[in-house]
Amino acid sequence: MIIGKVIGSVVSTRKNENLVGNKFMIVEPVEKMSAKNSQLVAIDNIGAGIGEYVLVALGSAARIGCGKETAPVDAAIVGIVDDGADFA
């Protein structure tokens, strides 16, 4: 699991049927948690907004965390960070 900042959203009108009705956000991992500081697209079922710091599950944990075990999900926002250590 990583901490990242939501920096945008993605709109996809054509997608896998298991993903219909879901929101997708662009997340940038905080510098201390990313070797490359790359961005990723994460499914968002909890209602995170742009500018918020979030917890992101990756891999098979992402599918389980968002309740989409049969969907092609590799990253899922599973929590919004209210307070934490100096990660920003």
Side-chain angles (χ1 to χ4, degrees):
M1 190 172 325
I2 62 168
I3 295 174
K5 184 175 184 178
V6 178
I7 60 169
S9 62
V10 175
V11 176
S12 175
T13 55
R14 296 181 66 167
K15 56 188 157 260
N16 180 283
E17 64 184 33
N18 293 325
L19 298 175
V20 172
N22 290 285
K23 181 171 115 178
F24 300 95
M25 305 301 279
I26 301 170
V27 178
E28 185 171 74
V30 295
E31 188 175 337
K32 293 179 182 179
M33 297 201 146
S34 173
K36 299 180 243 171
N37 200 24
S38 60
Q39 300 171 353
L40 50 101
V41 175
I43 193 168
D44 175 25
N45 289 336
I46 63 168
I50 295 173
E52 291 187 294
Y53 286 94
V54 294
L55 297 172
V56 179
L58 302 171
S60 61
R63 288 189 299 280
I64 295 166
C66 71
K68 300 280 184 190
E69 289 83 4
T70 61
V73 173
D74 190 43
I77 297 174
V78 295
I80 297 173
V81 177
D82 295 320
D83 189 22
D86 182 26
F87 56 79

